[in-house]
Amino acid sequence: MPDNVRSVFNSLSKAGEQAYLVGGSVRDLLSERTPVDWDLATTATPKRITEIFSRVIPTGIAHGTVTVLVGSDALEVTTLRGDGAYTDGRHPDSVVFIKDIEGDLARRDFTINAMAWEPEERILHDPFGGRDDLAAKLLRAVGDPVARFTEDGLRVMRAARFAATLDFDIEKKTLEAIPVGAPKLVKISIERRRDELLKTLKARAPSRGLLVMKKFGMFDRLIDEVHNLQDDQDEPARGKWKQTVRRVDLCPAENALRLAALLFDATSRQQKPFKSLRLDKKTHKKASRLLGVGKIDYRSDWSDAQIRRFLCDTGVDIALDIITLWKADLRAGNEDCQIADELVDRVKRAMNSGDPIVAKDLCVDGDDLMRDLELLPGPHLGNLLERLLSHVIDHPEDNEKSKLIDMARRML
Ligand code: ATP
Ligand code: MG
Protein backbone atom coordinates (compact mmCIF):
# COMPACT_ATOMS: atom_id res chain seq x y z
CA MET A 1 0.00 0.00 0.00
CA PRO A 2 1.42 3.42 -0.84
CA ASP A 3 2.46 5.60 2.13
CA ASN A 4 -0.35 8.09 1.58
CA VAL A 5 -2.98 5.35 1.76
CA ARG A 6 -1.36 3.92 4.87
CA SER A 7 -1.37 7.35 6.51
CA VAL A 8 -5.15 7.65 5.97
CA PHE A 9 -5.61 4.26 7.63
CA ASN A 10 -3.44 5.38 10.55
CA SER A 11 -5.40 8.59 11.06
CA LEU A 12 -8.74 6.74 11.06
CA SER A 13 -7.42 4.13 13.45
CA LYS A 14 -6.04 6.79 15.81
CA ALA A 15 -9.47 8.41 15.83
CA GLY A 16 -10.92 5.08 16.99
CA GLU A 17 -12.58 4.22 13.69
CA GLN A 18 -12.34 1.02 11.70
CA ALA A 19 -11.22 1.20 8.11
CA TYR A 20 -11.04 -1.23 5.21
CA LEU A 21 -9.63 -1.28 1.74
CA VAL A 22 -12.54 -2.09 -0.59
CA GLY A 23 -13.62 -2.45 -4.19
CA GLY A 24 -11.29 -2.56 -7.16
CA SER A 25 -8.07 -2.18 -5.20
CA VAL A 26 -8.62 -5.40 -3.20
CA ARG A 27 -9.60 -7.24 -6.37
CA ASP A 28 -6.53 -5.94 -8.19
CA LEU A 29 -4.11 -6.72 -5.36
CA LEU A 30 -5.41 -10.28 -5.07
CA SER A 31 -4.95 -10.81 -8.78
CA GLU A 32 -1.53 -9.18 -8.93
CA ARG A 33 -2.70 -6.17 -10.90
CA THR A 34 -1.75 -2.65 -9.95
CA PRO A 35 -4.79 -0.85 -8.51
CA VAL A 36 -5.83 2.30 -10.38
CA ASP A 37 -7.27 3.85 -7.25
CA TRP A 38 -7.49 3.04 -3.56
CA ASP A 39 -10.98 3.14 -2.08
CA LEU A 40 -11.49 3.03 1.67
CA ALA A 41 -14.59 2.20 3.65
CA THR A 42 -14.86 3.25 7.27
CA THR A 43 -17.12 3.28 10.32
CA ALA A 44 -16.55 7.06 10.55
CA THR A 45 -19.51 9.17 9.44
CA PRO A 46 -18.89 11.73 6.68
CA LYS A 47 -18.91 14.48 9.30
CA ARG A 48 -16.27 12.62 11.36
CA ILE A 49 -14.16 12.12 8.24
CA THR A 50 -14.16 15.84 7.54
CA GLU A 51 -13.11 16.47 11.16
CA ILE A 52 -10.28 13.92 11.11
CA PHE A 53 -8.68 15.18 7.89
CA SER A 54 -7.74 18.75 7.17
CA ARG A 55 -7.93 18.62 3.37
CA VAL A 56 -11.19 17.13 2.15
CA ILE A 57 -13.68 17.52 -0.69
CA PRO A 58 -17.30 16.68 0.19
CA THR A 59 -17.73 14.62 -3.01
CA GLY A 60 -20.94 12.79 -2.17
CA ILE A 61 -21.64 13.52 1.46
CA ALA A 62 -25.26 12.34 1.20
CA HIS A 63 -24.06 8.92 0.06
CA GLY A 64 -21.23 8.93 2.56
CA THR A 65 -18.31 9.68 0.26
CA VAL A 66 -15.62 12.18 1.15
CA THR A 67 -12.47 12.70 -0.90
CA VAL A 68 -9.43 12.97 1.34
CA LEU A 69 -6.40 14.78 -0.06
CA VAL A 70 -3.02 13.49 1.09
CA GLY A 71 0.12 14.72 -0.57
CA SER A 72 -0.68 14.66 -4.26
CA ASP A 73 -3.22 11.82 -3.91
CA ALA A 74 -6.99 12.01 -3.65
CA LEU A 75 -8.60 9.04 -1.89
CA GLU A 76 -12.28 8.25 -1.68
CA VAL A 77 -13.26 7.45 1.88
CA THR A 78 -16.81 6.15 2.18
CA THR A 79 -18.84 5.49 5.29
CA LEU A 80 -20.05 1.88 5.58
CA ARG A 81 -23.59 1.92 4.29
CA GLY A 82 -26.59 -0.09 3.29
CA ASP A 83 -28.72 0.98 0.35
CA GLY A 84 -32.46 1.56 0.63
CA ALA A 85 -34.84 0.68 -2.20
CA TYR A 86 -34.04 1.68 -5.78
CA THR A 87 -37.11 3.11 -7.47
CA ASP A 88 -35.45 5.18 -10.18
CA GLY A 89 -33.22 2.38 -11.52
CA ARG A 90 -30.15 4.51 -10.86
CA HIS A 91 -29.59 5.44 -7.24
CA PRO A 92 -30.82 4.13 -3.92
CA ASP A 93 -33.70 6.27 -2.58
CA SER A 94 -31.88 6.47 0.74
CA VAL A 95 -28.76 5.17 2.39
CA VAL A 96 -28.23 4.20 5.99
CA PHE A 97 -24.84 4.37 7.61
CA ILE A 98 -23.97 1.10 9.31
CA LYS A 99 -21.17 -0.33 11.39
CA ASP A 100 -20.57 -3.76 9.89
CA ILE A 101 -18.48 -4.32 6.82
CA GLU A 102 -20.44 -7.30 5.53
CA GLY A 103 -23.56 -5.18 5.23
CA ASP A 104 -21.57 -2.73 3.14
CA LEU A 105 -20.16 -5.44 0.91
CA ALA A 106 -23.67 -6.78 0.23
CA ARG A 107 -24.64 -3.63 -1.70
CA ARG A 108 -21.74 -3.98 -4.12
CA ASP A 109 -22.16 -5.27 -7.65
CA PHE A 110 -19.96 -8.33 -8.21
CA THR A 111 -18.40 -10.83 -5.81
CA ILE A 112 -14.89 -9.89 -6.93
CA ASN A 113 -15.69 -6.26 -6.05
CA ALA A 114 -17.26 -7.17 -2.73
CA MET A 115 -14.20 -7.98 -0.66
CA ALA A 116 -12.60 -5.86 2.04
CA TRP A 117 -9.10 -5.94 3.47
CA GLU A 118 -8.46 -4.88 7.04
CA PRO A 119 -4.76 -4.07 7.05
CA GLU A 120 -4.12 -3.86 10.79
CA GLU A 121 -5.71 -7.20 11.60
CA ARG A 122 -4.69 -8.64 8.24
CA ILE A 123 -8.20 -10.00 7.66
CA LEU A 124 -9.83 -10.46 4.26
CA HIS A 125 -13.60 -10.13 4.43
CA ASP A 126 -15.00 -12.17 1.57
CA PRO A 127 -18.60 -13.12 2.36
CA PHE A 128 -19.60 -13.89 -1.25
CA GLY A 129 -16.71 -16.00 -2.46
CA GLY A 130 -15.02 -13.27 -4.45
CA ARG A 131 -11.62 -14.85 -4.09
CA ASP A 132 -12.78 -18.15 -5.60
CA ASP A 133 -14.45 -16.31 -8.46
CA LEU A 134 -11.28 -14.35 -9.03
CA ALA A 135 -9.32 -17.60 -9.29
CA ALA A 136 -11.94 -19.09 -11.62
CA LYS A 137 -12.02 -15.86 -13.67
CA LEU A 138 -15.76 -15.53 -13.18
CA LEU A 139 -17.87 -12.43 -12.87
CA ARG A 140 -20.80 -13.18 -10.57
CA ALA A 141 -23.38 -10.73 -9.22
CA VAL A 142 -23.69 -10.41 -5.45
CA GLY A 143 -27.02 -11.97 -4.47
CA ASP A 144 -29.85 -12.32 -6.98
CA PRO A 145 -28.57 -11.06 -10.34
CA VAL A 146 -32.01 -10.13 -11.68
CA ALA A 147 -32.72 -8.00 -8.61
CA ARG A 148 -29.26 -6.41 -8.68
CA PHE A 149 -29.42 -5.55 -12.38
CA THR A 150 -32.92 -4.08 -12.10
CA GLU A 151 -31.96 -1.90 -9.13
CA ASP A 152 -29.25 -0.09 -11.01
CA GLY A 153 -29.21 -0.11 -14.81
CA LEU A 154 -25.50 0.65 -15.07
CA ARG A 155 -24.53 -2.72 -13.62
CA VAL A 156 -25.15 -4.64 -16.85
CA MET A 157 -22.71 -2.36 -18.61
CA ARG A 158 -20.22 -2.76 -15.78
CA ALA A 159 -20.56 -6.52 -16.24
CA ALA A 160 -19.61 -6.18 -19.89
CA ARG A 161 -16.77 -3.82 -18.95
CA PHE A 162 -15.23 -6.13 -16.34
CA ALA A 163 -15.60 -9.15 -18.65
CA ALA A 164 -13.38 -7.26 -21.11
CA THR A 165 -10.88 -5.58 -18.80
CA LEU A 166 -10.34 -8.63 -16.61
CA ASP A 167 -10.86 -11.13 -19.42
CA PHE A 168 -13.42 -13.02 -17.31
CA ASP A 169 -16.43 -15.14 -18.17
CA ILE A 170 -19.78 -13.94 -16.94
CA GLU A 171 -21.27 -16.59 -14.65
CA LYS A 172 -24.34 -18.34 -16.10
CA LYS A 173 -27.10 -16.88 -13.88
CA THR A 174 -25.52 -13.43 -14.01
CA LEU A 175 -25.39 -13.61 -17.81
CA GLU A 176 -29.00 -14.78 -17.99
CA ALA A 177 -30.07 -11.74 -15.96
CA ILE A 178 -28.45 -9.26 -18.35
CA PRO A 179 -31.36 -9.10 -20.83
CA VAL A 180 -33.69 -8.36 -17.91
CA GLY A 181 -31.54 -5.50 -16.63
CA ALA A 182 -30.34 -4.05 -19.94
CA PRO A 183 -33.53 -2.08 -20.78
CA LYS A 184 -32.96 -0.09 -17.56
CA LEU A 185 -29.74 1.28 -18.98
CA VAL A 186 -31.50 4.11 -20.81
CA LYS A 187 -32.24 5.66 -17.41
CA ILE A 188 -28.53 6.10 -16.77
CA SER A 189 -26.80 9.31 -17.82
CA ILE A 190 -24.81 9.25 -21.05
CA GLU A 191 -21.69 10.32 -19.14
CA ARG A 192 -21.75 7.32 -16.81
CA ARG A 193 -22.42 4.93 -19.70
CA ARG A 194 -19.71 6.57 -21.79
CA ASP A 195 -17.19 6.13 -18.96
CA GLU A 196 -17.92 2.40 -18.83
CA LEU A 197 -17.50 2.21 -22.61
CA LEU A 198 -14.19 4.09 -22.47
CA LYS A 199 -12.93 1.80 -19.70
CA THR A 200 -13.93 -1.17 -21.86
CA LEU A 201 -11.95 0.27 -24.77
CA LYS A 202 -8.85 0.29 -22.55
CA ALA A 203 -8.94 -3.51 -22.28
CA ARG A 204 -6.38 -5.58 -24.13
CA ALA A 205 -9.26 -7.04 -26.15
CA PRO A 206 -12.43 -4.94 -25.77
CA SER A 207 -14.38 -7.32 -28.06
CA ARG A 208 -15.34 -9.45 -25.10
CA GLY A 209 -17.29 -6.59 -23.56
CA LEU A 210 -18.46 -5.01 -26.83
CA LEU A 211 -20.10 -8.24 -27.98
CA VAL A 212 -22.12 -8.38 -24.76
CA MET A 213 -23.02 -4.70 -25.01
CA LYS A 214 -24.20 -5.03 -28.58
CA LYS A 215 -26.04 -8.30 -28.09
CA PHE A 216 -28.12 -6.83 -25.29
CA GLY A 217 -28.78 -3.44 -26.84
CA MET A 218 -26.44 -1.40 -24.62
CA PHE A 219 -25.50 0.97 -27.42
CA ASP A 220 -29.11 2.11 -27.64
CA ARG A 221 -29.16 5.90 -27.35
CA LEU A 222 -25.42 5.83 -26.67
CA ILE A 223 -24.08 5.38 -30.21
CA ASP A 224 -26.93 4.85 -32.67
CA GLU A 225 -24.59 3.93 -35.51
CA VAL A 226 -23.31 0.96 -33.55
CA HIS A 227 -26.74 0.10 -32.20
CA ASN A 228 -28.09 -0.04 -35.75
CA LEU A 229 -25.27 -2.15 -37.20
CA GLN A 230 -26.48 -5.62 -38.01
CA ASP A 231 -25.40 -7.96 -35.23
CA ASP A 232 -23.93 -10.92 -37.04
CA GLN A 233 -21.99 -12.45 -34.19
CA ASP A 234 -23.87 -15.75 -34.31
CA GLU A 235 -23.37 -16.16 -38.02
CA PRO A 236 -20.38 -18.05 -39.35
CA ALA A 237 -20.02 -15.59 -42.22
CA ARG A 238 -17.71 -12.59 -42.04
CA GLY A 239 -20.03 -9.80 -41.09
CA LYS A 240 -19.67 -6.13 -40.38
CA TRP A 241 -20.03 -6.31 -36.62
CA LYS A 242 -17.57 -9.18 -36.33
CA GLN A 243 -15.06 -7.23 -38.38
CA THR A 244 -15.73 -4.15 -36.25
CA VAL A 245 -14.89 -5.79 -32.93
CA ARG A 246 -11.84 -7.45 -34.45
CA ARG A 247 -10.71 -4.06 -35.76
CA VAL A 248 -11.12 -2.52 -32.30
CA ASP A 249 -9.06 -5.32 -30.71
CA LEU A 250 -6.33 -4.85 -33.29
CA CYS A 251 -5.96 -1.12 -32.59
CA PRO A 252 -3.65 0.08 -29.81
CA ALA A 253 -5.51 0.76 -26.54
CA GLU A 254 -6.06 4.45 -27.08
CA ASN A 255 -9.55 5.94 -26.85
CA ALA A 256 -9.60 8.01 -30.05
CA LEU A 257 -8.20 5.18 -32.15
CA ARG A 258 -10.52 2.59 -30.72
CA LEU A 259 -13.59 4.82 -31.02
CA ALA A 260 -12.73 5.46 -34.65
CA ALA A 261 -12.28 1.70 -35.12
CA LEU A 262 -15.69 1.12 -33.56
CA LEU A 263 -17.33 3.61 -35.92
CA PHE A 264 -15.28 2.85 -39.00
CA ASP A 265 -18.27 1.46 -40.88
CA ALA A 266 -20.72 4.13 -39.79
CA THR A 267 -22.50 5.55 -42.77
CA SER A 268 -22.69 9.12 -41.51
CA ARG A 269 -18.98 9.60 -40.89
CA GLN A 270 -19.02 13.29 -41.53
CA GLN A 271 -21.64 13.89 -38.88
CA LYS A 272 -19.21 12.69 -36.23
CA PRO A 273 -21.33 9.87 -34.91
CA PHE A 274 -19.76 9.89 -31.47
CA LYS A 275 -20.96 13.42 -30.80
CA SER A 276 -23.57 11.83 -28.55
CA LEU A 277 -20.78 10.62 -26.26
CA ARG A 278 -19.84 14.12 -25.11
CA LEU A 279 -16.15 13.29 -25.16
CA ASP A 280 -13.42 15.60 -23.98
CA LYS A 281 -12.36 17.99 -26.75
CA LYS A 282 -9.03 16.36 -27.50
CA THR A 283 -10.40 12.84 -27.91
CA HIS A 284 -13.34 14.10 -29.93
CA LYS A 285 -11.14 16.04 -32.30
CA LYS A 286 -8.69 13.21 -32.83
CA ALA A 287 -11.40 10.59 -33.33
CA SER A 288 -13.14 12.88 -35.85
CA ARG A 289 -9.96 13.37 -37.81
CA LEU A 290 -9.24 9.64 -37.86
CA LEU A 291 -12.74 8.85 -38.97
CA GLY A 292 -12.67 11.62 -41.58
CA VAL A 293 -9.99 9.74 -43.53
CA GLY A 294 -10.95 6.10 -42.95
CA LYS A 295 -9.76 3.75 -45.67
CA ILE A 296 -6.68 4.84 -47.61
CA ASP A 297 -6.39 4.18 -51.35
CA TYR A 298 -2.60 3.83 -51.25
CA ARG A 299 -0.89 1.75 -53.92
CA SER A 300 2.79 0.91 -54.30
CA ASP A 301 3.01 3.01 -57.43
CA TRP A 302 2.35 6.25 -55.55
CA SER A 303 5.11 8.75 -56.23
CA ASP A 304 7.04 10.37 -53.38
CA ALA A 305 5.10 13.55 -54.12
CA GLN A 306 1.85 11.65 -53.58
CA ILE A 307 3.16 10.47 -50.22
CA ARG A 308 3.95 14.09 -49.26
CA ARG A 309 0.52 15.19 -50.42
CA PHE A 310 -1.10 12.47 -48.33
CA LEU A 311 0.87 13.73 -45.32
CA CYS A 312 -0.07 17.32 -46.02
CA ASP A 313 -3.77 16.48 -46.40
CA THR A 314 -4.08 14.25 -43.33
CA GLY A 315 -1.67 16.13 -41.07
CA VAL A 316 1.80 15.00 -40.08
CA ASP A 317 0.76 14.62 -36.43
CA ILE A 318 -1.91 12.03 -37.14
CA ALA A 319 -0.79 10.28 -40.33
CA LEU A 320 0.74 7.26 -38.59
CA ASP A 321 -2.39 6.73 -36.49
CA ILE A 322 -4.51 6.89 -39.63
CA ILE A 323 -2.40 4.15 -41.17
CA THR A 324 -2.58 2.12 -37.93
CA LEU A 325 -6.36 2.27 -38.12
CA TRP A 326 -6.36 1.29 -41.78
CA LYS A 327 -4.02 -1.61 -41.04
CA ALA A 328 -6.31 -2.82 -38.24
CA ASP A 329 -9.21 -2.71 -40.71
CA LEU A 330 -7.29 -4.71 -43.30
CA ARG A 331 -6.29 -7.32 -40.73
CA ALA A 332 -9.80 -7.50 -39.33
CA GLY A 333 -11.07 -8.26 -42.83
CA ASN A 334 -8.33 -10.89 -43.32
CA GLU A 335 -6.75 -8.80 -46.03
CA ASP A 336 -3.05 -8.49 -46.67
CA CYS A 337 -1.73 -5.63 -44.54
CA GLN A 338 1.79 -5.49 -46.00
CA ILE A 339 0.64 -2.54 -48.06
CA ALA A 340 0.01 -0.59 -44.84
CA ASP A 341 3.48 -1.44 -43.50
CA GLU A 342 4.96 -0.23 -46.78
CA LEU A 343 3.08 3.05 -46.45
CA VAL A 344 4.39 3.48 -42.89
CA ASP A 345 7.95 3.10 -44.16
CA ARG A 346 7.45 5.58 -46.96
CA VAL A 347 5.69 8.10 -44.73
CA LYS A 348 8.50 7.92 -42.16
CA ARG A 349 11.07 8.40 -44.90
CA ALA A 350 9.19 11.44 -46.22
CA MET A 351 8.97 12.92 -42.74
CA ASN A 352 12.71 12.54 -42.21
CA SER A 353 13.73 13.65 -45.70
CA GLY A 354 13.48 17.37 -45.02
CA ASP A 355 11.32 17.79 -48.14
CA PRO A 356 8.50 20.30 -47.67
CA ILE A 357 5.18 18.87 -46.50
CA VAL A 358 3.40 21.67 -44.65
CA ALA A 359 3.30 25.47 -45.02
CA LYS A 360 5.91 26.08 -42.34
CA ASP A 361 8.40 24.03 -44.37
CA LEU A 362 8.28 26.68 -47.13
CA CYS A 363 11.30 28.95 -47.47
CA VAL A 364 8.97 31.98 -47.45
CA ASP A 365 6.26 33.08 -45.06
CA GLY A 366 3.52 35.70 -45.09
CA ASP A 367 5.91 38.45 -43.95
CA ASP A 368 8.27 37.76 -46.87
CA LEU A 369 5.37 37.97 -49.32
CA MET A 370 4.12 41.26 -47.85
CA ARG A 371 7.56 42.83 -47.88
CA ASP A 372 8.83 41.64 -51.26
CA LEU A 373 5.58 41.91 -53.15
CA GLU A 374 4.20 44.92 -51.28
CA LEU A 375 1.05 43.11 -50.27
CA LEU A 376 -1.35 43.96 -47.47
CA PRO A 377 -2.25 41.40 -44.81
CA GLY A 378 -5.32 39.25 -45.48
CA PRO A 379 -6.53 35.82 -46.47
CA HIS A 380 -4.92 36.12 -49.92
CA LEU A 381 -1.54 35.53 -48.23
CA GLY A 382 -2.62 32.15 -46.94
CA ASN A 383 -4.00 31.39 -50.35
CA LEU A 384 -0.70 32.19 -52.03
CA LEU A 385 1.26 30.13 -49.52
CA GLU A 386 -1.05 27.20 -50.13
CA ARG A 387 -0.47 27.38 -53.87
CA LEU A 388 3.28 27.62 -53.36
CA LEU A 389 3.18 24.63 -51.04
CA SER A 390 1.18 22.67 -53.57
CA HIS A 391 3.91 23.39 -56.11
CA VAL A 392 6.88 22.47 -53.89
CA ILE A 393 5.22 19.23 -52.77
CA ASP A 394 5.61 18.15 -56.40
CA HIS A 395 8.92 20.00 -56.90
CA PRO A 396 10.86 20.14 -53.62
CA GLU A 397 13.88 21.46 -55.56
CA ASP A 398 11.99 24.75 -56.04
CA ASN A 399 11.79 25.42 -52.30
CA GLU A 400 14.14 28.43 -52.42
CA LYS A 401 13.23 31.91 -51.35
CA SER A 402 13.96 33.75 -54.61
CA LYS A 403 12.24 31.11 -56.73
CA LEU A 404 9.15 31.17 -54.53
CA ILE A 405 8.90 34.97 -54.53
CA ASP A 406 9.14 34.98 -58.35
CA MET A 407 6.52 32.30 -58.56
CA ALA A 408 4.21 34.20 -56.23
CA ARG A 409 4.64 37.33 -58.34
CA ARG A 410 3.59 35.40 -61.42
CA MET A 411 0.64 33.92 -59.56
CA LEU A 412 -0.55 37.40 -58.68
P1 ATP B 1 -11.74 0.39 -11.37
O1 ATP B 1 -10.56 -0.46 -11.23
O2 ATP B 1 -12.12 0.62 -12.78
O3 ATP B 1 -11.73 1.64 -10.54
P2 ATP B 1 -13.66 -0.50 -9.43
O4 ATP B 1 -14.16 -1.89 -9.13
O5 ATP B 1 -12.83 0.15 -8.39
O6 ATP B 1 -12.94 -0.56 -10.81
P3 ATP B 1 -15.36 1.75 -9.28
O7 ATP B 1 -16.32 2.24 -10.30
O8 ATP B 1 -14.18 2.57 -8.92
O9 ATP B 1 -14.92 0.34 -9.78
O10 ATP B 1 -16.21 1.43 -7.96
C1 ATP B 1 -15.60 1.06 -6.73
C2 ATP B 1 -16.42 -0.06 -6.07
O11 ATP B 1 -17.72 0.43 -5.75
C3 ATP B 1 -16.64 -1.29 -6.92
O12 ATP B 1 -15.57 -2.20 -6.82
C4 ATP B 1 -17.91 -1.84 -6.34
O13 ATP B 1 -17.66 -2.54 -5.14
C5 ATP B 1 -18.69 -0.60 -5.99
N1 ATP B 1 -19.57 -0.12 -7.08
C6 ATP B 1 -19.30 0.80 -8.01
N2 ATP B 1 -20.32 1.01 -8.83
C7 ATP B 1 -21.31 0.21 -8.39
C8 ATP B 1 -22.66 -0.04 -8.79
N3 ATP B 1 -23.17 0.59 -9.84
N4 ATP B 1 -23.36 -0.94 -8.08
C9 ATP B 1 -22.85 -1.58 -7.02
N5 ATP B 1 -21.60 -1.40 -6.59
C10 ATP B 1 -20.83 -0.54 -7.25
MG1 MG C 1 -12.10 2.10 -8.47
Side-chain angles (χ1 to χ4, degrees):
M1 225 187 269
D3 287 347
N4 284 342
V5 182
R6 200 168 286 283
S7 84
V8 173
F9 270 104
N10 288 342
S11 305
L12 286 164
S13 162
K14 250 193 250 154
E17 303 286 354
Q18 262 167 314
Y20 309 85
L21 194 64
V22 286
S25 45
V26 180
R27 178 196 70 219
D28 291 345
L29 286 175
L30 286 172
S31 49
E32 286 171 26
R33 286 185 177 81
T34 312
V36 278
D37 46 29
W38 301 80
D39 296 327
L40 274 68
T42 175
T43 48
T45 60
K47 185 163 169 287
R48 268 302 271 149
I49 302 172
T50 55
E51 285 162 7
I52 296 168
F53 298 97
S54 52
R55 292 164 60 217
V56 296
I57 306 170
T59 318
I61 284 269
H63 291 94
T65 304
V66 176
T67 303
V68 173
L69 304 170
V70 265
S72 55
D73 288 330
L75 301 176
E76 294 221 325
V77 181
T78 305
T79 310
L80 297 182
R81 65 169 226 232
D83 291 344
Y86 284 73
T87 44
D88 66 356
R90 272 181 291 169
H91 301 294
D93 302 343
S94 61
V95 303
V96 275
F97 297 138
I98 56 178
K99 292 290 173 197
D100 85 296
I101 180 68
E102 302 216 346
D104 181 88
L105 295 176
R107 73 173 170 86
R108 295 175 184 270
D109 48 5
F110 302 105
T111 60
I112 55 165
N113 289 345
M115 294 184 271
W117 172 243
E118 214 176 330
E120 238 168 65
E121 313 289 330
R122 302 189 64 76
I123 298 172
L124 180 74
H125 298 265
D126 179 18
F128 306 104
R131 204 167 180 178
D132 289 344
D133 285 340
L134 207 52
K137 303 187 92 190
L138 267 187
L139 194 69
R140 184 195 310 269
V142 169
D144 171 19
V146 170
R148 304 313 307 284
F149 285 160
T150 14
E151 272 174 3
D152 175 354
L154 191 65
R155 289 180 188 151
V156 291
M157 204 157 169
R158 287 174 60 85
R161 187 255 280 196
F162 287 120
T165 54
L166 303 172
D167 199 16
F168 276 24
D169 284 324
I170 302 179
E171 177 272 330
K172 189 166 172 284
K173 288 224 160 64
T174 305
L175 186 64
E176 282 167 4
I178 289 185
V180 187
K184 303 267 176 193
L185 199 56
V186 290
K187 296 187 175 187
I188 306 291
S189 74
I190 292 293
E191 286 81 357
R192 293 178 70 204
R193 294 172 61 190
R194 170 204 61 204
D195 288 348
E196 292 299 332
L197 174 65
L198 294 183
K199 284 184 176 177
T200 307
L201 293 180
K202 286 263 169 20
R204 194 186 52 79
S207 57
R208 202 157 188 178
L210 298 177
L211 288 170
V212 175
M213 289 180 189
K214 171 90 177 120
K215 183 167 183 180
F216 298 108
M218 298 186 206
F219 287 103
D220 189 12
R221 279 167 255 189
L222 185 67
I223 311 180
D224 288 341
E225 281 75 3
V226 176
H227 183 62
N228 295 334
L229 263 185
Q230 175 120 20
D231 186 348
D232 46 37
Q233 62 172 305
D234 296 326
E235 287 171 29
R238 281 183 4 200
K240 276 225 154 120
W241 175 236
K242 254 194 182 154
Q243 188 172 343
T244 293
V245 291
R246 260 203 306 259
R247 184 192 307 118
V248 173
D249 283 355
L250 289 166
C251 268
E254 199 243 335
N255 281 342
L257 264 168
R258 282 193 155 165
L259 280 170
L262 185 61
L263 284 152
F264 202 74
D265 287 328
T267 43
S268 57
R269 284 160 165 272
Q270 297 316 321
Q271 286 170 23
K272 316 219 170 66
F274 34 71
K275 205 168 168 196
S276 57
L277 290 178
R278 299 174 203 161
L279 298 164
D280 65 276
K281 259 201 191 127
K282 199 169 151 218
T283 310
H284 187 270
K285 190 164 174 209
K286 182 165 177 189
S288 306
R289 288 177 70 196
L290 289 168
L291 210 54
V293 177
K295 289 188 200 291
I296 304 170
D297 58 359
Y298 171 72
R299 289 192 324 260
S300 296
D301 62 4
W302 271 21
S303 65
D304 288 347
Q306 272 174 296
I307 298 283
R308 289 191 293 273
R309 198 167 292 283
F310 164 76
L311 271 171
C312 174
D313 291 344
T314 54
V316 175
D317 59 329
I318 205 169
L320 290 172
D321 282 332
I322 285 170
I323 307 172
T324 298
L325 180 60
W326 178 47
K327 181 175 170 179
D329 183 58
L330 292 173
R331 285 178 68 197
N334 295 324
E335 287 177 63
D336 186 5
C337 63
Q338 253 179 352
I339 191 86
D341 292 330
E342 181 184 298
L343 181 58
V344 168
D345 283 345
R346 293 191 67 189
V347 155
K348 283 186 177 164
R349 245 182 291 142
M351 283 172 174
N352 296 327
S353 68
D355 286 340
I357 294 169
V358 291
K360 73 169 174 39
D361 298 333
L362 284 171
C363 286
V364 295
D365 60 15
D367 288 339
D368 297 324
L369 295 180
M370 286 195 290
R371 195 174 43 244
D372 295 6
L373 303 174
E374 295 177 355
L375 295 175
L376 293 170
H380 52 277
L381 292 178
N383 231 319
L384 264 181
L385 289 170
E386 226 167 76
R387 291 170 67 190
L388 292 174
L389 177 64
S390 182
H391 175 86
V392 296
I393 282 179
D394 288 331
H395 305 282
E397 68 282 3
D398 287 347
N399 191 19
E400 282 173 25
K401 192 168 175 187
S402 57
K403 278 190 183 171
L404 293 179
I405 294 286
D406 281 348
M407 210 178 294
R409 187 172 289 120
R410 284 199 302 275
M411 284 173 179
L412 285 166

